[in-house]
Amino acid sequence: MPYVTTVDSAEIFYKDWGPASGRPVVLSHGWPLNSDSWQIQALFLAENGFQVIAHDRRGHGRSTQTWDGNEMDTYADDLATLIDTLDLRDVTLVGFSTGGGEVARYVGRHGTGRVAQVVLVSAVPPLMLQTPDNPGGVPIEAFDGIRAGSLADRSQTYRDLADGPFFGNNRPGVTVSQGIRDAFWLQSMASGHRNAYECIAAFSATDFRPDLDAIDVPTLVIHGDDDQVVPFAVGGQASAARIKNARLLVYPGAPHGITDTHPEQLGRDLLDFLTSTS
């Protein structure tokens, strides 16, 4: 299986699908998942002629469960190692949830010299946590609850997320398949305990506002307006307002995990954006 090695000797697993001659699309996954969560979109885009790269963040999936480095600066530097090692250019970076933070921080730290486009899907920027200068954010008690659940019974915590708010399965009339919910649990349990625990702070308390200000390439923001994990007003709406000339697509009634609940719509929208400037 393919890996790249980071400066601290972590091994980052990645998938490389589609023709090597295709324009590269790099997919960054959410917490506490891995690159398998992108398989529907990866197959679709690869079949449409794009080279699709999807990696497992350090501490997740098949990548090294490092003790340290479970924060956004290191995640972004790992992404840079992947892009530089594979010598990818004219890249479209697509980040889902926590992966959106990783993509934003990559631009903030490494610029857009290799980047043609950015897509944020149900993404955590600009800043999830409620602070004095971000009064509309999510109170810290919500994240402390996830931390407490992770320490007490992380398996059940992941099950509760999958069965409830992540896919909107707790909404009247909504039924998400057992297979989709089981896949979330399985991927989550493959993450390192410390890695996933520390990543809660990384996705919730990192301020990505300066990173969004640094994005100077065409950007698409996609968010469901019934996202119970990253509320629309906190995430997609605020990001699209901050990024210069960003385009916002709102999925009415959609939950957080639209990669699984709205795969056809998301695939079409990604393909339309990719081909709009090709």
Side-chain angles (χ1 to χ4, degrees):
M1 295 189 293
Y3 291 85
V4 296
T5 305
T6 68
V7 293
D8 63 346
S9 299
E11 296 291 316
I12 304 298
F13 169 84
Y14 70 95
K15 301 177 182 181
D16 186 347
W17 292 5
S21 59
R23 275 182 47 215
V25 179
V26 176
L27 306 174
S28 292
H29 64 80
W31 173 92
L33 305 173
N34 58 56
S35 58
D36 292 351
S37 64
W38 278 117
Q39 60 187 352
I40 300 174
Q41 290 75 35
L43 179 61
F44 176 74
L45 295 176
E47 288 179 334
N48 277 276
F50 291 90
Q51 180 189 15
V52 182
I53 311 292
H55 64 293
D56 292 356
R57 185 172 300 115
R58 69 167 56 214
H60 298 69
R62 289 137 293 203
S63 293
T64 304
Q65 294 185 6
T66 56
W67 187 252
D68 298 312
N70 305 303
E71 33 72 27
M72 280 294 165
D73 285 355
T74 301
Y75 296 159
D77 292 349
D78 290 349
L79 178 58
T81 296
L82 176 71
I83 292 171
D84 293 348
T85 301
L86 300 182
D87 195 24
L88 302 177
R89 300 178 186 276
D90 198 26
V91 178
T92 297
L93 296 177
V94 184
F96 168 73
S97 194
T98 298
E102 181 180 287
V103 165
R105 182 51 53 93
Y106 170 88
V107 172
R109 287 175 68 83
H110 300 277
T112 55
R114 291 178 178 265
V115 179
Q117 298 170 304
V118 167
V119 184
L120 303 179
V121 181
S122 305
V124 298
L127 172 60
M128 283 194 70
L129 183 65
Q130 184 182 73
T131 62
D133 68 343
N134 189 45
V138 179
I140 194 170
E141 289 79 10
F143 305 113
D144 286 344
I146 300 173
R147 276 185 277 264
S150 297
L151 292 177
D153 187 346
R154 78 182 190 120
S155 179
Q156 188 60 49
T157 296
Y158 299 150
R159 174 60 67 198
D160 291 344
L161 284 168
D163 291 345
F166 196 90
F167 299 112
N169 198 54
N170 56 347
R171 294 306 199 205
V174 174
T175 301
V176 178
S177 76
Q178 189 69 54
I180 287 175
R181 290 180 281 137
D182 285 350
F184 178 95
W185 176 87
L186 183 65
Q187 290 176 49
S188 300
M189 290 303 294
S191 65
H193 193 359
R194 174 180 168 91
N195 307 101
Y197 180 84
E198 293 197 335
C199 189
I200 298 168
F203 73 68
S204 65
T206 302
D207 186 351
F208 299 103
R209 288 173 290 190
D211 305 301
L212 297 185
D213 293 342
I215 297 177
D216 58 0
V217 295
T219 301
L220 175 65
V221 179
I222 303 175
H223 217 104
D225 67 6
D226 192 32
D227 190 327
Q228 302 171 68
V229 178
V230 182
F232 171 64
V234 173
Q237 186 177 52
S239 286
R242 190 169 189 108
I243 300 168
K244 185 178 181 180
N245 298 323
R247 179 187 175 198
L248 174 64
L249 285 182
V250 181
Y251 288 10
H256 187 63
I258 57 176
T259 50
D260 285 297
T261 62
H262 292 65
E264 293 183 359
Q265 182 178 358
L266 180 58
R268 289 194 304 268
D269 289 335
L270 290 174
L271 184 60
D272 287 347
F273 183 65
L274 283 162
T275 55
S276 66
T277 56
S278 61

